[in-house]
Amino acid sequence: MRLTTKGRFAVTAMLDIALYEADKPVTLAGISERQSISLSYLEQLFSRLRKQGLVSSVRGPGGGYRIARAHQEISVSDIITAVDEQIDATQCGGNENCHDEGRCMTHELWASLNSKILDYLSGVSLADMVEMQRKKGAGTVVFAPRKCGSEATIAA
Amino acid sequence: MRLTTKGRFAVTAMLDIALYEADKPVTLAGISERQSISLSYLEQLFSRLRKQGLVSSVRGPGGGYRIARAHQEISVSDIITAVDEQIDATQCGGNENCHDEGRCMTHELWASLNSKILDYLSGVSLADMVEMQRKKGAGTVVFAPRKCGSEATIAA
DNA sequence: TAATAATTGACTAAAACAGTAGGTTATTAT
DNA sequence: ATAATAACCTACTGTTTTAGTCAATTATTA
C-alpha cells in the first residue's frame, strides 16, 4: 500500500460522511466546503471508493453519498488502498533483478515494515474514528484537514 | 519521515559498506556495480550521509567511505531521515488551517501511525541487518536491490 | 421541465524521483 | 612532478505522481 495526501483526503472525506450522514446522503459539495477539498478532486476519489463498494451513491436533488457498509466493517487501510491503486502487486517485479533465492538485501526489512503498517491501519475502523472524533470535539468541531499532519507517503 | 526508494537505496548502500568494509574503505564505484545503483545518484546520497555523520570519507586512490559509528549505533531510521530531508517539520504548517485546538480530524491517526513506523525503523540497526544478511547468504550472496520489494513511500 | 448532483474523461501545473553530465579538489602511487 | 584515483559539487534532464481544473453527460426529484 501507499500513503499520500490522497489517502488522507479519502479518509477525511469518509469520516465526514460518517459524521454527517443521517436521513439524507451527504453531497460532495458539502464535504468540499467543510473539509476544504476541491470538488473535482473528491469526484475522482469517490469514483474509486464507489467502485470498491465502500460508498453508495444517490443521484439527483437530495442525492449524495452514503457509507455502504457498517462503520466497523470499513478500515482505514480499506479506504487508502481503494484510492491509491497499488501498482506494485508483483512484489519483486516478477523477473529482472530479484532472483527467487537471494532476493534483494533489504527485502525482508521492507516487507516486515509494510505488514506492520498494514496491521495498524486495518485495525482502525471508521467506527473507531467517528467515536474518537465525537469524544474530541465536545462543543464545536473544527475541521481543517489541509496541510495538516506531517506529510505521509508510504508505499507498502 | 518519508520512505521512498531513495531511502531504500541509502539503506542498501550502507549495508553494502558494512559488509565489504575491512582494511580498506569502500568506493562508490564498487557499491554502484554490486548494487546496480547509479554512481552519480550514490554521490548525492552520500553527500547527505556524510553531512549527517553516518559515514566518513577518504579521498584519493585507495579512498572511499567507511561507516562512521558502531553498527549498533546506526538505525535504519537514521539512514532514511538523512537522505530524505523531511520538509514538513512544522507538523501542521504552523498556521493556516490547523487550529491548535480542533486540529484536523485525522491528525491523531497519522501521528500515531508515524510514531509506529519510526519505532520500528529505529529499532533495526545496521548491525542487525548485517547479521541477517550473513545468516541468509550462507554461500554466494546475490545482490539485486533494484525494483525489489514493494514500492514504499511513507512520509511521517 | 428546471434544478440538482452524480458520473465521466481529458487536460494541466507543480513537485518529487531517479538519473545524467561535467567539472573541481584532495590524495596516493609511479 | 605527474598521472591516476576517487571524493566532492553543481546544474540539468526525463518521467511519474500529485493535486487540481474544466467541460460535458446522465439520472433523479421538486
Side-chain angles (χ1 to χ4, degrees):
Chain A
M1 74 182 302
R2 138 180 296 186
L3 224 167
T4 63
T5 55
K6 200 173 185 174
R8 263 217 302 282
F9 280 170
V11 173
T12 300
M14 289 289 282
L15 182 51
D16 184 286
I17 297 185
L19 288 168
Y20 281 90
E21 167 184 38
D23 49 331
K24 288 203 170 195
V26 179
T27 67
L28 293 190
I31 300 174
S32 171
E33 205 173 314
R34 282 189 295 274
Q35 308 299 341
S36 315
I37 303 172
S38 127
L39 176 60
S40 303
Y41 201 41
L42 281 173
E43 283 169 350
Q44 283 175 40
L45 298 181
F46 274 78
S47 168
R48 301 215 174 151
L49 293 172
R50 191 174 56 84
K51 277 168 190 159
Q52 293 298 315
L54 296 181
V55 295
S56 60
S57 60
V58 181
R59 286 183 158 202
Y65 285 94
R66 288 185 195 283
I67 307 294
R69 302 192 224 146
H71 293 180
Q72 306 97 291
E73 300 301 318
I74 294 181
S75 71
V76 173
S77 72
D78 290 335
I79 299 171
I80 291 168
T81 56
V83 297
D84 256 320
E85 84 278 28
Q86 66 234 61
I87 311 136
D88 198 28
T90 48
Q91 280 292 80
C92 285
N95 44 358
E96 291 233 279
N97 287 354
C98 240
H99 304 78
D100 17 36
E101 55 188 350
R103 350 259 303 180
C104 55
M105 295 198 301
T106 55
H107 185 93
E108 283 81 0
L109 179 69
W110 310 120
S112 150
L113 173 64
N114 286 345
S115 77
K116 281 207 190 307
I117 292 165
L118 203 64
D119 279 358
Y120 177 66
L121 291 183
S122 57
V124 180
S125 74
L126 196 54
D128 294 333
M129 299 220 61
V130 167
E131 196 189 0
M132 198 188 297
Q133 200 58 28
R134 290 249 160 82
K135 270 185 192 159
K136 199 171 59 172
T140 50
V141 181
V142 179
F143 298 112
R146 220 168 246 231
K147 297 259 159 122
C148 187
S150 29
E151 279 311 296
T153 314
I154 305 164
Chain B
M1 74 181 304
R2 137 178 295 186
L3 223 167
T4 64
T5 54
K6 198 171 184 176
R8 263 218 302 283
F9 279 169
V11 172
T12 300
M14 289 289 282
L15 182 52
D16 185 285
I17 297 183
L19 288 167
Y20 282 90
E21 166 185 36
D23 48 331
K24 287 204 170 194
V26 179
T27 68
L28 292 190
I31 300 174
S32 169
E33 206 173 314
R34 282 188 295 273
Q35 309 297 340
S36 315
I37 303 172
S38 126
L39 176 59
S40 304
Y41 201 40
L42 281 173
E43 281 171 350
Q44 285 175 39
L45 298 180
F46 274 79
S47 167
R48 301 217 173 150
L49 293 171
R50 192 174 55 84
K51 277 166 191 161
Q52 293 298 315
L54 296 181
V55 294
S56 61
S57 61
V58 181
R59 286 184 156 202
Y65 286 93
R66 288 185 196 281
I67 306 293
R69 303 192 224 146
H71 293 182
Q72 305 96 293
E73 300 302 316
I74 294 181
S75 72
V76 172
S77 72
D78 289 336
I79 299 171
I80 291 169
T81 55
V83 297
D84 255 321
E85 84 280 28
Q86 65 234 61
I87 311 136
D88 198 27
T90 48
Q91 281 291 81
C92 285
N95 45 358
E96 291 232 278
N97 286 357
C98 241
H99 304 80
D100 16 36
E101 53 188 350
R103 355 259 301 181
C104 56
M105 297 197 301
T106 55
H107 185 95
E108 284 83 359
L109 179 70
W110 309 121
S112 149
L113 173 63
N114 286 345
S115 77
K116 281 207 188 307
I117 292 165
L118 203 66
D119 278 359
Y120 176 66
L121 291 182
S122 58
V124 180
S125 73
L126 196 53
D128 294 333
M129 300 220 60
V130 167
E131 196 189 0
M132 199 188 299
Q133 199 59 28
R134 291 249 159 82
K135 270 184 194 163
K136 200 170 60 173
T140 49
V141 182
V142 179
F143 297 112
R146 221 171 245 226
K147 298 258 158 125
C148 189
S150 29
E151 278 312 295
T153 316
I154 305 165

